[in-house]
Amino acid sequence: MEKAAKRPATYEDLLNVPDHLVGEIVEGDLYTSPRPAGPHERSGGGIYMHLRYLFDYGGGGGGSWWIAFEVELHLASDVLVPDVSGWRRDRHPRHPVRGTVASVPPDWVCEVISPSTGRLDRMKKLPAYARAGVSHAWIVEPSLRTIEVYRREGEHWMLAAVHGGEEPARIEPFDAIEFPLESLWFEQEDPA
């Protein structure tokens, strides 16, 4: 008996995902996950606000990047929604996002890990970003208070650094400034 061929997910399938979920297509498969909340939102939103202010508006980074929050990236047959993404202005003089969609691969992406997205982000999305030519990726783990920094080497990711805790850190590709890590984490609840 032959196994029936599964049809690849389409953009129409993505449009039918309920509004309370984020839908993505990776390697022809449709994935859905809950919208960010709690620690996930705190970390992703903090990264977005800080980088947008300093690098997009011209603070410490001189307006050298376009920074975007939850943009729908159309990269070959994949449709991905990173928590935060950025494009270097020297490579993209015009903002690459049209409406809520960008078809130009970003230079950097940030995925904030939550219990429902960790495997997808690490096992499916990171390889898709490498295939598309993204040069840097951050994996942020709010529960561990860490940021893993990846640099693309050919078609693969190399772990370049791990930052964590409360101390400010210089994190590539935004290492022109010290990033205030303590602003990204929810306060730990006192068990008493």
Side-chain angles (χ1 to χ4, degrees):
M1 183 171 202
E2 287 185 37
K3 183 178 177 183
K6 181 180 143 194
R7 80 168 174 83
T10 66
Y11 196 69
E12 186 174 326
D13 296 327
L14 198 64
L15 293 175
N16 289 324
V17 170
D19 289 342
H20 68 282
L21 298 173
V22 175
E24 300 175 286
I25 299 173
V26 187
E27 297 176 354
D29 293 324
L30 177 66
Y31 294 90
T32 61
S33 55
R35 295 240 171 241
H40 186 127
E41 184 280 328
R42 173 80 178 176
S43 296
I47 290 167
Y48 168 74
M49 288 177 14
H50 195 75
L51 293 179
R52 179 127 187 219
Y53 174 73
L54 289 175
F55 287 89
D56 194 325
Y57 290 143
S64 56
W65 287 77
W66 300 111
I67 304 296
F69 190 73
E70 291 191 351
V71 169
E72 188 175 281
L73 298 176
H74 291 236
L75 306 175
S77 62
D78 296 322
V79 180
L80 309 169
V81 183
D83 292 291
V84 190
S85 49
W87 294 260
R88 292 182 186 273
R89 288 190 190 198
D90 60 354
R91 292 187 56 225
H92 307 284
R94 295 189 60 206
H95 200 295
V97 180
R98 300 292 171 257
T100 60
V101 174
S103 57
V104 176
D107 296 290
W108 164 83
V109 294
C110 174
E111 292 288 357
V112 181
I113 301 294
S114 63
S116 63
T117 65
R119 288 179 58 112
L120 173 64
D121 290 340
R122 290 179 183 280
M123 296 177 66
K124 298 289 185 174
K125 292 175 74 175
L126 274 180
Y129 292 134
R131 285 192 303 273
V134 175
S135 58
H136 285 86
W138 291 2
I139 296 289
V140 178
E141 290 244 16
S143 63
L144 300 176
R145 295 182 175 212
T146 60
I147 298 176
E148 297 169 13
V149 179
Y150 293 91
R151 185 182 316 124
R152 187 176 50 81
E153 301 285 337
E155 295 181 16
H156 304 284
W157 292 108
M158 178 188 83
L159 180 62
V162 179
H163 301 277
E166 310 297 318
E167 295 299 314
R170 293 187 180 272
I171 307 174
E172 71 176 86
F174 304 102
D175 46 0
I177 54 99
E178 282 194 334
F179 203 90
L181 293 182
E182 79 281 354
S183 68
L184 304 181
W185 322 123
F186 264 133
E187 291 298 316
Q188 296 291 330
E189 291 185 24
D190 186 356

